[in-house]
Amino acid sequence: MICRCCHNFFKVERSFLELFKNKIVYLCPCCKQKHPLEFKFLELPLDNLHVLRVYYLYDEMFGFEREAFSYEYGLVTTNLIKRKLNFIFKDTFKESELYLYNMLAKLLDKDIYLLVYNLNG
């Protein structure tokens, strides 16, 4: 397979029982080790006692394709859906957009949850 992060070839280890299953892996072991996934969140206060909670996977952007972390991103997404939260998907979070989330929280009269890849876009 080809790593979506470093674009190098790598092979996927399989057991005999998994030999004919379609196992899709986007990251090579080297990139998984170099860029460990750390699920973090940041809470920012909004007006009317509402909160903007930003869930992010990385502090800063590095050169990778978004599909490389689609499995991990999907796990986070399903967890948020199971918790029945109102959340928004976005690539990056910028503090200059905070007023938009503040207005949205006022309009909906609810807390806002944002799921992004990284904080600094």
Side-chain angles (χ1 to χ4, degrees), residues 75-109:
L75 291 177
V76 173
T77 304
T78 54
N79 186 11
L80 291 175
I81 289 173
K82 286 179 184 176
R83 293 172 54 193
K84 298 181 179 172
L85 300 175
N86 298 322
F87 60 95
I88 301 169
F89 295 110
K90 202 156 184 270
D91 286 345
T92 59
F93 171 71
K94 298 175 186 169
E95 287 191 36
S96 61
E97 301 168 340
L98 192 59
Y99 74 95
L100 292 172
Y101 300 117
N102 192 17
M103 292 177 65
L104 186 63
K106 284 182 186 178
L107 183 68
L108 297 174
D109 196 28

Side-chain angles (χ1 to χ4, degrees), residues 38-99:
E38 296 180 20
F39 183 64
K40 303 174 190 174
F41 71 92
L42 172 72
E43 281 190 358
L44 299 170
L46 300 174
D47 293 344
N48 299 337
L49 300 175
H50 293 296
V51 172
L52 171 66
R53 183 173 278 186
V54 182
Y55 294 100
Y56 61 99
L57 303 177
Y58 293 100
D59 291 328
E60 294 182 12
M61 182 65 93
F62 52 91
F64 70 92
E65 293 181 28
R66 301 259 188 268
E67 300 90 31
F69 299 96
S70 61
Y71 177 75
E72 292 85 359
Y73 199 75
L75 291 177
V76 173
T77 304
T78 54
N79 186 11
L80 291 175
I81 289 173
K82 286 179 184 176
R83 293 172 54 193
K84 298 181 179 172
L85 300 175
N86 298 322
F87 60 95
I88 301 169
F89 295 110
K90 202 156 184 270
D91 286 345
T92 59
F93 171 71
K94 298 175 186 169
E95 287 191 36
S96 61
E97 301 168 340
L98 192 59
Y99 74 95

Side-chain angles (χ1 to χ4, degrees), residues 12-23:
V12 178
E13 299 293 328
R14 296 181 187 199
S15 67
F16 181 72
L17 296 174
E18 297 175 332
L19 191 59
F20 295 108
K21 289 184 180 177
N22 189 10
K23 187 174 182 180

